[in-house]
Amino acid sequence: ELLALSKGRITKQSIAIPIDMYSAIIADAINVVEKYHVLRHGISKLVSQVIQISDDVKSQCDFSNNSLTKEQNDKAVDHQIRKRLKNIDHQIPDFNITLNGSELGKIQSACLIVTLAFSGGRIGEVLSFNPSRYSTKQVGKHKLISIVSGETSKGEDGIPRTVTWQTHPIVKDALELAFDMTESLRDHYKTLIDEKINSGAYREDEHAKASKELNSAFIILRHNTTSAASFVQANSQRLLTQYAASLKLTASNEDIEEF
C-alpha cells in the first residue's frame, strides 16, 4: 500500500477507441493475415535458415585466444551472421530478415489482434490458443458456428479452466499463421528445453511448464534466447501498441467528438 501511495502517477484504464480508428487497425491486421497465411510454412523455413546460419557462425568463430571483450566478441559474431543473412534469397513479400524477430513480431501482432477482436478473450487467455483450439459447432440443422477455446483462471482461485468463445473463421487463419510460421522456432526451443532437463538445468515441473507454453501460437521470437521465464509472448501489450502506432492513425474531429 505504501509503495502504491509513493507513486505520483495516476493509474488510468483505457476503455474505448473511436470506431473508425479501431476499424482501421482491424482491417490492416486482417490484410496481414490474409497476405501471409498461405506463406506461413515458407516463413518457418526461412526462420530455420536464419537459426542454422546463426548456429554455424557461432560454432565456427573462436575468440578464445584474442584480447577482445565478450561484448566485442558478440558484435563480431553478430556482424558475421548479418553478412551471411544478406545472401539468403527468399520469396516472402515485404519481409526483412532480422535477428531479433521484429518482422515476425509484426505478423504475430496482426494475428493476435484478429484473434482478440473476433473472440472476446483477454490477452492472457488468447495466449493459450493454438489452431487445435478452433473448431465448428452445429447449431440447428443448417448452421455451423465457429468457436475457440482457451484457458482462464478468472473466478477459479487461480486454477486454469477451459472457456469457449464464439468466433469468426478468420481466427482459424490467424492461429494457423501464428503457429505454423514459428514451427522451426518451436522445434529450436523444444531442443533447448530437452537439453536443459537432460543436463539437470531444468526440473521436471519446469520442463513440463515450458513444453506446455510451446503449444501456444504466440511464442517468443528471439531464437538466441538460452533461458526464458516464459516461452509465451510476454510483451504482447507493448507489441500491440507498437503495431497500432505504426499505422500512424490520426483522430479526426468526428473521432474526438464520438469519443
Side-chain angles (χ1 to χ4, degrees), residues 216-239:
S216 168
F218 304 102
I219 59 175
I220 57 176
L221 302 175
R222 295 182 66 92
H223 73 273
N224 53 2
T225 297
T226 56
S227 61
S230 172
F231 285 97
V232 176
Q233 186 59 258
N235 297 319
S236 52
Q237 292 190 7
R238 178 176 60 82
L239 291 174

Side-chain angles (χ1 to χ4, degrees), residues 114-116 118-119 129 134 148 167-176:
V114 168
T115 306
L116 285 165
F118 290 97
S119 71
F129 290 2
Y134 175 91
V148 65
T167 188
H168 185 280
I170 188 66
V171 169
K172 178 177 183 288
D173 289 349
L175 291 175
E176 286 178 346

Side-chain angles (χ1 to χ4, degrees), residues 15-247:
I15 59 171
I17 184 172
I19 188 64
D20 286 346
M21 298 180 75
Y22 178 76
S23 297
I25 294 171
I26 301 302
D28 189 86
I30 289 174
N31 286 337
V32 171
V33 170
E34 291 178 339
K35 178 178 180 178
Y36 290 107
H37 178 262
V38 70
L39 302 168
R40 61 194 188 280
H41 296 295
I43 294 174
S44 179
K45 290 179 181 178
L46 181 58
V47 172
S48 179
Q49 286 183 270
V50 173
I51 294 173
Q52 188 61 55
I53 288 174
S54 179
D55 289 345
D56 289 346
V57 170
K58 289 177 181 178
S59 65
Q60 293 166 7
C61 292
D62 182 11
F63 298 105
S64 58
N65 296 320
N66 65 31
S67 58
L68 299 178
T69 64
K70 182 181 183 304
E71 182 179 359
Q72 290 171 326
N73 285 340
D74 290 343
K75 285 184 177 180
V77 170
D78 187 70
H79 174 73
Q80 290 297 322
I81 293 173
R82 293 180 186 279
K83 186 176 179 180
R84 289 184 58 176
L85 291 181
K86 290 180 180 179
N87 296 324
I88 295 180
D89 183 27
H90 67 85
Q91 305 300 317
I92 310 299
D94 305 316
F95 188 91
N96 297 317
I97 299 174
T98 63
L99 287 174
N100 62 3
S102 58
E103 288 292 296
L104 278 180
K106 294 175 185 176
I107 302 176
Q108 186 186 68
S109 294
C111 295
L112 184 55
I113 288 170
V114 168
T115 306
L116 285 165
F118 290 97
S119 71
R122 296 173 176 83
I123 288 182
E125 296 163 342
V126 169
L127 291 177
S128 71
F129 290 2
N130 62 40
S132 68
R133 298 280 189 167
Y134 175 91
S135 61
T136 56
K137 181 180 179 181
Q138 186 79 35
V139 177
K141 291 183 178 181
H142 307 292
K143 186 177 181 181
L144 279 177
I145 63 170
S146 299
I147 57 175
V148 65
S149 60
E151 290 187 352
T152 180
S153 57
K154 182 182 178 184
E156 294 292 321
D157 298 322
I159 300 175
R161 62 187 177 89
T162 299
V163 178
T164 299
W165 296 266
Q166 186 171 338
T167 188
H168 185 280
I170 188 66
V171 169
K172 178 177 183 288
D173 289 349
L175 291 175
E176 286 178 346
L177 173 55
F179 190 88
D180 292 341
M181 75 173 187
T182 54
E183 188 61 32
S184 56
L185 262 176
R186 192 171 286 101
D187 291 341
H188 175 72
Y189 293 145
K190 286 178 180 177
T191 300
L192 178 67
I193 66 173
D194 286 346
E195 289 175 352
K196 282 183 174 293
I197 195 168
N198 291 333
S199 67
Y202 260 3
R203 302 189 307 269
E204 288 285 348
D205 59 326
E206 291 175 314
H207 183 269
K209 174 179 176 289
S211 298
K212 182 179 180 181
E213 289 174 344
L214 289 178
N215 287 324
S216 168
F218 304 102
I219 59 175
I220 57 176
L221 302 175
R222 295 182 66 92
H223 73 273
N224 53 2
T225 297
T226 56
S227 61
S230 172
F231 285 97
V232 176
Q233 186 59 258
N235 297 319
S236 52
Q237 292 190 7
R238 178 176 60 82
L239 291 174
L240 295 183
T241 301
Q242 290 177 345
Y243 187 97
S246 71
L247 301 181

